[in-house]
Amino acid sequence: MACFDWENGAVTGVLSNLRVVEIGSAAATSYCARLFADFGADVQKIEPPAGDPLRYFAPLTPMGQSAWFAFLNFNKSSTIIDPAAPNAIARLTAMIENCDILIDGRDIDPADCPSIDVAAIRKRRSRLIYLQASWFGREGPYAGFAATDTTIRALAGLIKLVGPVEGPPLHAPDFQTGILGGLWGFIAAASSAVAQIEGEAGPSWSVSIFESSLAISEYLMFEAFARGEVVHRIGINRFWPVFPGGIYETQKGWLGVTTFTPAQWRAFCDMLGLSGLRDNPALVLGEERLKHIERIERQFVPRLKARTAQEWFAEGLKRRIPIVPVPDTSDLLLDTEKRARCAIVPVVLGQEEGRTAGSMQRLTLTPPRRGGKVPAPGEQQSFAGSRERQSLAASRTLRSMGAGRQPLRGIRVIDFTMGWAGPLCTRTLADLGADVIKIESTQYPDWWRGVDRRPAYVDAQMYERAQAFCIMNRNKRGITLDLTQPQGLALAKRLLVGADVVVDNYSVDVLPKLGLGHDVLQKLNPRLVVLSMSAFGAKSLYRDCRAYGSTLEQGSGLPNVVGNAAGPPVMSHVAFGDAVGGLNGCAAVLVALFHARKTGLGQFIDLAQIECMMPFVAPWITVHSIGGMPPPRYGTRHPQFVPHGCFRCVGEDSWVMIAASDENMWQRLAILIGRSDWAIDASLRSAEARRGIEDEIESAIEAWTITRDADQAMSELQAERIAAGVARQPTDLLKDPHLRSRAFLQDIERAFIGMHPQPSIPIRDGSLPFAIRTAAPTLGEHNSEILSELLGLSETEIAQLALEGIIGTAMVSEGN
């Protein structure tokens, strides 16, 4: 696979006619802009004379440069604008008026950006696409809150479920919400760039970092709505509803294990010689096994120590069990396949050269740049092969989209996806206006309708009551086709002829074996964008490995930077990788659509979902690649902020996350907890100085928090502009006052479920979220509509298809 060589300029980037200006300082907006730079856009980063504050964010390389800043900003140019200069406002205004996309992080940190009138600029430049990021949005109870990555994750339900039962909850380092927010921001701006090719004016987007993070926890939110409060912290590497679904020690190395389906559980037991567990009818499903964790682990944990992680991995491949070795950063850096696929790329930071995570949007015809250089403050970068810039809509009369109007209307997507990752990708396209047609079969429907195929489950149509399925498949139309029968396959091909995009997240050989490989699809429809969302990539050595979101996190390297130094690698979430893969898939489709709309040429996207998790460990990869030192584990502490952690409050399992992210915040915190002496002590002004008495500081904070309810503690801390967030359960978010005030939860009526809440997407064009137009389809709900309206079949022909079992509206149970 070719990658764009940033040094030699071998390939012209697909977005090279776009000019992007980035203002303010925020990880989310920096990552959003970097995704544009990956595909050739001219990104101008505006910095103050002292540089972007993120240039000083830990972890640092041996020469003191920020590895996090490097990951977020390579292949950009830097422009220094001194806000005190007399021409500062005019200079910045002129730059913005000459760009296509303005990405604004000033609500998070203005970074001394000159004050500009964006509304006035947009009146003069109607084509300007404007994206503004904030921690919580501009209205609502949390709108004025101080925040950090971890306080956001605490409020978003992403911390409380991780760690030992007794607490405190554990969490990953500060490199998550910026990546999630950046992906959502890119999806917003890129979808508008696609629409602008057809003559649409530029919209004004906003993205909430808090709401962006709910993409990870939303399915647990709505499982709680359907089942009650079934989720709580049950120990390190243990998560509802999958067991075993964690990380275990072997003879050499750690092994990630996920047994989701009954067949996988039986194969796992067979592999370990545990026939008694395999044949126990009370242990068929993961939820049932969770009731017997200790008894089951006592039997299989010792047996895993008989062989190495690599040996178990090889055995798991044969048995189709989702197991994977858990790598550390040195393993990632030695992985030749990741280098060849450009998942790990070279990066130059001044006089230092290292490695970092590359672009995960693996387009094969118009690939991203392969690594790059981090600009010094004020440094302009030029790239060989770039063509003269032309405005997106220079020759068109622009049409105003209007607030809330979907930018992807007119795009048709054929959806061969199941579970979470693929359906989230296509759901996002549908939310933005695409006509998404979901193809299932009565024999093999989406497994998120339920993996229980026993007659009692199927006959009661419980598969139509699965809340997770309904959340991930709204705004879509559904059809059933038996693709193993020639007539079903022929109908699928006819749908593909009229489509713009096809997405699948099956194992890599499934569609080709059915006769729907990329070579076939390209002949059917040369303009078709084909996204394959496999776990490891179409040509990977591990392409046959079964995987879920948990497998992707286990194999990404992230668990080895989470937790305490003496403990095992720690998972952040049972299916973290699913949502991340889905968002990256959507971003990749939009880049390919941009190219297809301009050239008429589709292409194949070989997205490896495991690679999509690597940005979360990117700074540690860089530091290790330069200095050779493995990343330290901080537990609930932080590489830069002191104090920082989860502190116990009044009540059972009640916690508040607190972070003092600068000297002023530390002083206010010290005064609030009754330690004014610390606030005026000059020797404690730096975080590193405070680290010497971190135990004492944490004890004083907890003596204060333990006398307060978590919400009360957060309120008092935020009143003093101290970053704090209650460690919420996902179920708490259903009644979160901020989400309610912003109409984030929308009530939708659906057959078999009735009225139920649905989450909005976290990007808005206007003050209100995009409306959810339709509920998720019941199995085969739109068979007649699609076959008659799109393919012209008669009622008699449709009835015959149903008679022959090619289409249907009822799941076939196991054994039928």
Side-chain angles (χ1 to χ4, degrees):
M1 175 183 297
C3 296
F4 180 77
D5 189 324
W6 70 276
E7 292 182 300
N8 299 322
V11 180
T12 299
V14 63
L15 303 182
S16 61
N17 67 327
L18 292 181
R19 181 167 293 159
V20 179
V21 171
E22 175 194 340
I23 59 178
S25 175
T29 49
S30 283
Y31 190 52
C32 174
R34 202 212 94 174
L35 293 172
F36 280 99
D38 282 344
F39 287 93
D42 173 10
V43 177
Q44 296 288 331
K45 182 178 185 66
I46 308 303
E47 301 188 72
D52 185 332
L54 289 174
R55 286 186 181 273
Y56 310 100
F57 203 96
L60 304 177
T61 66
M63 295 184 69
Q65 299 186 86
S66 170
W68 179 225
F69 180 87
F71 167 74
L72 295 172
N73 291 286
F74 66 81
N75 283 329
K76 300 178 185 177
S77 292
S78 169
T79 297
I80 299 295
I81 296 184
D82 185 345
N87 67 340
I89 294 175
R91 186 179 169 203
L92 180 56
T93 299
M95 290 184 68
I96 294 171
E97 289 185 339
N98 194 38
C99 78
D100 300 289
I101 302 171
L102 174 62
I103 300 175
D104 187 350
R106 292 176 298 165
D107 271 6
I108 294 172
D109 186 340
D112 291 329
C113 183
S115 179
I116 51 172
D117 190 340
V118 175
I121 294 172
R122 295 190 71 246
K123 284 182 180 179
R124 297 191 297 270
R125 304 291 289 177
S126 61
R127 66 174 175 79
L128 180 67
I129 298 168
Y130 178 48
L131 173 73
Q132 184 177 41
S134 61
W135 286 121
F136 295 100
R138 290 202 150 188
E139 61 282 321
Y142 304 162
F145 275 16
T148 66
D149 183 285
T150 42
T151 63
I152 290 286
R153 280 188 280 142
L155 282 166
L158 296 175
I159 285 178
K160 193 167 187 177
L161 298 179
V162 181
V165 174
E166 66 278 7
L170 293 174
H171 51 84
D174 260 11
F175 312 120
Q176 294 194 0
T177 67
I179 293 168
L180 294 167
L183 279 166
W184 277 112
F186 181 80
I187 287 166
S191 68
S192 294
V194 171
Q196 206 167 85
I197 294 173
E198 301 302 316
E200 301 286 5
S204 177
W205 290 99
S206 63
V207 57
S208 159
I209 308 303
F210 173 50
E211 291 168 13
S212 296
S213 303
L214 300 183
I216 309 297
S217 54
E218 65 180 9
Y219 105 86
L220 288 177
M221 289 169 59
F222 296 100
E223 283 294 309
F225 172 81
R227 299 171 181 240
E229 193 168 336
V230 295
V231 184
H232 55 277
R233 192 170 61 257
I234 54 178
I236 292 175
N237 295 322
R238 293 174 175 175
F239 302 90
W240 182 92
V242 179
F243 179 78
I247 294 173
Y248 299 95
E249 191 173 7
T250 69
Q251 186 183 90
K252 180 182 178 182
W254 297 88
L255 187 72
V257 177
T258 303
T259 57
F260 190 82
T261 68
Q264 289 162 0
W265 167 245
R266 290 192 295 268
F268 181 69
C269 291
D270 283 339
M271 182 176 76
L272 296 174
L274 296 170
S275 57
L277 293 178
R278 179 197 62 200
D279 298 332
N280 188 333
L283 303 179
V284 173
L285 299 178
E287 291 177 63
E288 298 165 345
R289 296 192 290 274
L290 279 171
K291 301 171 186 176
H292 310 282
I293 289 178
E294 303 297 339
R295 178 169 66 87
I296 295 172
E297 283 192 342
R298 277 197 300 270
Q299 295 187 59
F300 78 74
V301 166
R303 298 194 180 207
L304 286 175
K305 294 179 181 179
R307 301 174 73 176
T308 68
Q310 286 292 340
E311 289 170 339
W312 286 124
F313 179 52
E315 190 66 31
L317 282 174
K318 299 175 190 174
R319 298 172 182 266
R320 301 177 66 80
I321 308 170
I323 56 179
V324 66
V326 179
D328 58 28
T329 49
S330 61
D331 295 325
L332 296 174
L333 287 165
L334 293 171
D335 192 323
T336 56
E337 181 172 288
K338 286 186 171 57
R339 289 196 184 196
R341 285 182 52 84
C342 310
I344 293 180
V345 295
V347 62
V348 177
L349 306 80
Q351 298 178 31
E352 295 175 297
E353 296 186 13
R355 299 274 169 176
T356 191
S359 170
M360 306 309 152
Q361 292 78 45
R362 200 75 64 231
L363 280 65
T364 54
L365 182 62
T366 57
R369 286 171 170 156
R370 184 186 182 277
K373 182 174 185 285
V374 182
E379 180 183 5
Q380 294 290 300
Q381 298 197 63
S382 59
F383 300 96
S386 62
R387 56 180 180 266
E388 185 177 347
R389 194 177 83 78
Q390 181 180 9
S391 174
L392 279 175
S395 62
R396 295 180 180 269
T397 301
L398 296 180
R399 302 188 301 270
S400 175
M401 282 184 60
R405 194 170 176 190
Q406 296 92 2
L408 298 184
R409 66 193 183 283
I411 302 290
R412 178 162 294 150
V413 180
I414 304 302
D415 180 358
F416 293 106
T417 70
M418 295 185 178
W420 189 352
L424 176 60
C425 169
T426 53
R427 185 194 82 179
T428 305
L429 297 171
D431 286 348
L432 293 172
D435 176 21
V436 176
I437 298 174
K438 183 179 181 72
I439 297 182
E440 302 178 81
S441 74
T442 58
Q443 299 84 2
Y444 299 101
D446 187 331
W447 60 263
W448 247 20
R449 291 182 182 272
V451 296
D452 190 344
R453 302 296 297 277
R454 292 172 291 189
Y457 184 90
V458 173
D459 294 346
Q461 291 184 282
M462 295 302 293
Y463 55 86
E464 295 293 8
R465 295 170 169 81
Q467 194 77 24
F469 173 86
C470 295
I471 296 299
M472 289 302 151
N473 291 284
R474 58 151 184 254
N475 286 337
K476 303 178 186 179
R477 296 194 283 172
I479 183 174
T480 53
L481 290 174
D482 185 352
L483 300 178
T484 65
Q485 297 194 48
Q487 205 167 353
L489 182 62
L491 291 169
K493 288 181 176 179
R494 290 176 62 186
L495 287 172
L496 290 161
V497 167
D500 300 284
V501 179
V502 59
V503 181
D504 88 89
N505 66 333
Y506 302 151
S507 297
V508 294
D509 290 331
V510 171
L511 284 185
K513 285 181 179 178
L514 289 169
L516 293 173
H518 176 242
D519 53 341
V520 174
L521 300 180
Q522 190 174 41
K523 291 176 183 177
L524 279 175
N525 182 350
R527 72 177 186 280
L528 193 62
V529 171
V530 181
L531 170 63
S532 170
M533 298 177 61
S534 63
F536 292 86
K539 297 181 180 179
S540 170
L541 294 173
Y542 312 118
R543 64 199 300 271
D544 296 323
C545 178
R546 303 285 290 178
Y548 294 104
S550 49
T551 319
L552 305 175
E553 182 179 358
Q554 292 158 356
S556 70
L558 178 60
N560 260 308
V561 302
V562 185
N564 297 307
V570 176
M571 292 170 62
S572 298
H573 192 285
V574 71
F576 194 176
D578 277 308
V580 174
L583 295 178
N584 276 277
C586 182
V589 164
L590 292 170
V591 176
L593 268 176
F594 183 88
H595 176 260
R597 283 294 168 105
K598 292 186 68 175
T599 66
L601 296 175
Q603 63 179 298
F604 180 62
I605 305 169
D606 178 21
L607 185 121
Q609 291 188 57
I610 196 166
E611 295 171 1
C612 297
M613 288 296 298
M614 292 181 62
F616 298 102
V617 73
W620 306 112
I621 293 174
T622 301
V623 171
H624 195 169
S625 70
I626 297 173
M629 293 297 294
R633 293 197 206 162
Y634 289 90
T636 65
R637 291 177 174 176
H638 191 274
Q640 182 164 343
F641 305 149
V642 181
H644 179 282
C646 238
F647 297 91
R648 194 182 300 272
C649 297
V650 168
E652 183 181 357
D653 200 30
S654 180
W655 306 85
V656 64
M657 175 67 70
I658 301 174
S661 58
D662 59 41
E663 180 186 344
N664 293 331
M665 197 176 289
W666 152 248
Q667 291 174 334
R668 294 193 297 272
L669 174 61
I671 292 169
L672 182 64
I673 64 174
R675 292 302 305 261
S676 299
D677 56 321
W678 282 347
I680 61 175
D681 188 339
S683 69
L684 297 178
R685 286 180 181 172
S686 75
E688 284 310 305
R690 294 192 293 275
R691 204 175 293 282
I693 60 166
E694 200 161 7
D695 289 342
E696 185 180 351
I697 292 172
E698 289 173 350
S699 295
I701 293 172
E702 188 145 297
W704 183 86
T705 60
I706 198 66
T707 64
R708 290 159 171 82
D709 170 86
D711 279 280
Q712 178 192 355
M714 179 177 72
S715 179
E716 291 185 42
L717 288 157
Q718 288 290 353
E720 298 299 325
R721 296 288 297 154
I722 299 164
V726 176
R728 302 276 193 216
Q729 286 271 38
T731 185
D732 297 335
L733 298 168
L734 292 169
K735 53 184 183 292
D736 182 272
H738 186 78
L739 297 179
R740 288 286 182 185
S741 74
R742 286 175 52 79
F744 179 80
L745 300 171
Q746 302 183 44
D747 290 328
I748 302 296
E749 180 76 26
R750 184 184 183 273
F752 296 95
I753 292 179
M755 194 68 73
H756 66 287
Q758 288 261 353
S760 302
I761 55 174
I763 47 179
R764 301 187 180 197
D765 175 14
S767 61
L768 295 175
F770 280 91
I772 297 171
R773 305 183 300 279
T774 60
T778 56
L779 191 63
E781 178 180 348
H782 301 102
N783 284 346
S784 295
E785 177 183 310
I786 293 168
L787 293 173
S788 61
E789 292 180 10
L790 296 187
L791 302 186
L793 271 64
S794 67
E795 290 184 9
T796 302
E797 290 172 312
I798 294 171
Q800 185 62 30
L801 290 171
L803 188 65
E804 295 174 5
I806 294 169
I807 64 172
T809 56
M811 182 190 290
V812 176
S813 64
E814 198 171 60
N816 284 1

